[in-house]
Coordinates of all heavy atoms in Angstrom, one line a residue:
M13 N 147.9 90.4 92.4 CA 149.3 90.9 92.8 C 150.2 90.6 91.6 O 151.1 91.3 91.3 CB 149.8 90.3 94.1 CG 149.0 90.7 95.3 SD 148.9 92.4 95.6 CE 150.6 92.8 95.9
E18 N 153.1 92.8 87.0 CA 153.3 92.8 85.6 C 153.2 94.2 85.0 O 153.9 94.8 84.3 CB 152.4 91.9 84.9 CG 152.5 91.8 83.4 CD 151.5 90.7 82.7 OE1 150.7 90.1 83.5 OE2 151.6 90.7 81.6
D21 N 156.2 96.3 86.0 CA 157.3 96.0 85.1 C 157.1 96.6 83.8 O 158.0 97.2 83.1 CB 157.5 94.4 85.0 CG 157.9 93.8 86.3 OD1 158.4 94.5 87.1 OD2 157.8 92.5 86.3
A26 N 158.3 100.8 79.7 CA 157.8 101.9 78.9 C 158.5 103.2 79.2 O 158.9 103.9 78.3 CB 156.3 102.0 79.0
H32 N 163.8 107.5 74.6 CA 164.2 107.5 73.3 C 163.3 108.2 72.2 O 163.7 108.2 71.1 CB 164.6 106.0 72.8 CG 165.6 105.4 73.7 ND1 167.0 105.8 73.9 CD2 165.5 104.4 74.7 CE1 167.6 105.2 74.8 NE2 166.8 104.3 75.3
T36 N 159.7 116.7 66.9 CA 160.1 118.2 66.5 C 158.8 119.0 66.2 O 158.0 118.5 65.6 CB 161.0 118.1 65.2 OG1 162.1 117.3 65.6 CG2 161.5 119.4 64.9
G37 N 158.9 120.2 66.7 CA 157.9 121.2 66.4 C 158.4 122.3 65.6 O 159.5 122.7 65.8
G40 N 156.8 129.4 62.2 CA 157.3 130.3 61.1 C 157.7 129.6 59.8 O 158.7 130.0 59.2
G41 N 156.9 128.6 59.5 CA 157.3 127.9 58.2 C 158.6 127.2 58.3 O 159.3 127.0 57.3
H51 N 160.3 112.6 77.6 CA 160.1 113.0 78.9 C 159.9 114.5 79.1 O 160.2 115.2 80.1 CB 161.4 112.6 79.8 CG 161.5 111.2 80.0 ND1 160.5 110.6 80.9 CD2 162.3 110.2 79.6 CE1 160.8 109.3 81.0 NE2 161.8 109.0 80.2
L55 N 165.5 119.3 73.7 CA 166.8 118.6 73.3 C 167.6 119.5 72.4 O 168.8 119.5 72.5 CB 166.6 117.2 72.7 CG 165.8 116.2 73.6 CD1 165.5 114.9 72.7 CD2 166.6 115.9 74.8
E61 N 169.1 131.6 60.5 CA 169.8 132.8 60.7 C 169.2 134.1 60.2 O 169.6 135.2 60.7 CB 171.2 132.7 60.1 CG 171.3 132.5 58.6 CD 172.7 132.1 58.1 OE1 173.3 131.3 58.6 OE2 173.1 132.7 57.0
Q67 N 165.5 143.7 64.6 CA 164.1 144.0 64.4 C 163.2 142.8 64.5 O 162.0 143.0 64.8 CB 163.8 144.9 63.1 CG 164.2 144.0 61.8 CD 165.6 144.2 61.4 OE1 166.4 144.7 62.2 NE2 165.9 144.1 60.1
R69 N 163.6 140.4 66.9 CA 163.7 139.8 68.2 C 162.4 139.3 68.8 O 162.3 138.2 69.3 CB 164.4 140.8 69.0 CG 164.5 140.3 70.6 CD 165.5 141.2 71.2 NE 166.8 141.1 70.5 CZ 167.9 141.1 71.0 NH1 168.1 141.2 72.2 NH2 168.9 141.0 70.2
D70 N 161.4 140.1 68.7 CA 160.0 139.8 69.4 C 159.4 138.6 68.6 O 158.9 137.7 69.2 CB 159.1 140.9 69.4 CG 159.5 142.1 70.3 OD1 160.2 141.7 71.4 OD2 159.1 143.2 70.2
A73 N 161.2 135.3 69.6 CA 160.7 134.8 70.9 C 159.5 134.2 70.7 O 159.3 133.1 71.2 CB 160.7 136.0 71.9
D74 N 158.5 134.7 70.0 CA 157.2 134.0 69.8 C 157.2 132.8 69.0 O 156.6 131.7 69.3 CB 156.3 135.0 69.0 CG 155.9 136.3 69.9 OD1 155.9 136.2 71.2 OD2 155.3 137.2 69.2
A78 N 156.4 128.9 70.3 CA 155.5 128.2 69.5 C 156.1 126.8 69.2 O 155.5 125.7 69.3 CB 155.0 128.9 68.3
A79 N 157.2 126.8 68.6 CA 157.9 125.6 68.3 C 158.2 124.7 69.4 O 158.0 123.4 69.4 CB 159.3 125.9 67.5
L84 N 156.9 119.7 72.5 CA 156.5 119.2 73.8 C 155.2 118.4 73.8 O 155.0 117.3 74.4 CB 156.6 120.3 74.9 CG 157.8 120.9 75.3 CD1 157.6 121.9 76.3 CD2 158.8 119.7 75.9
A88 N 154.8 114.5 74.3 CA 153.8 114.0 75.3 C 152.9 112.9 74.7 O 152.6 111.9 75.4 CB 153.2 115.1 76.0
L95 N 153.1 104.3 76.3 CA 152.8 103.9 77.5 C 151.5 103.0 77.4 O 151.3 101.8 78.0 CB 152.6 105.0 78.6 CG 152.5 104.5 80.0 CD1 153.7 103.8 80.5 CD2 152.3 105.8 80.9
L109 N 139.6 106.8 86.0 CA 141.1 106.4 86.5 C 142.0 107.2 85.8 O 142.2 107.2 84.6 CB 141.2 105.0 86.3 CG 142.7 104.5 86.7 CD1 142.8 104.5 88.2 CD2 142.7 102.9 86.3
L111 N 145.9 107.9 85.1 CA 147.2 107.4 85.1 C 148.3 108.5 84.7 O 149.5 108.2 84.6 CB 147.4 106.1 84.3 CG 146.5 105.0 84.6 CD1 146.7 103.8 83.5 CD2 146.8 104.5 86.0
S112 N 147.9 109.8 84.8 CA 148.9 110.8 84.3 C 150.0 110.8 85.3 O 151.1 111.3 84.9 CB 148.2 112.1 84.2 OG 147.6 112.5 85.6

Side-chain angles (χ1 to χ4, degrees):
M13 293 306 289
E18 184 179 355
D21 291 345
H32 300 293
T36 299
H51 287 293
L55 301 174
E61 62 186 49
Q67 63 268 26
R69 178 168 301 219
D70 290 336
D74 291 342
L84 292 174
L95 191 57
L109 181 63
L111 297 177
S112 62

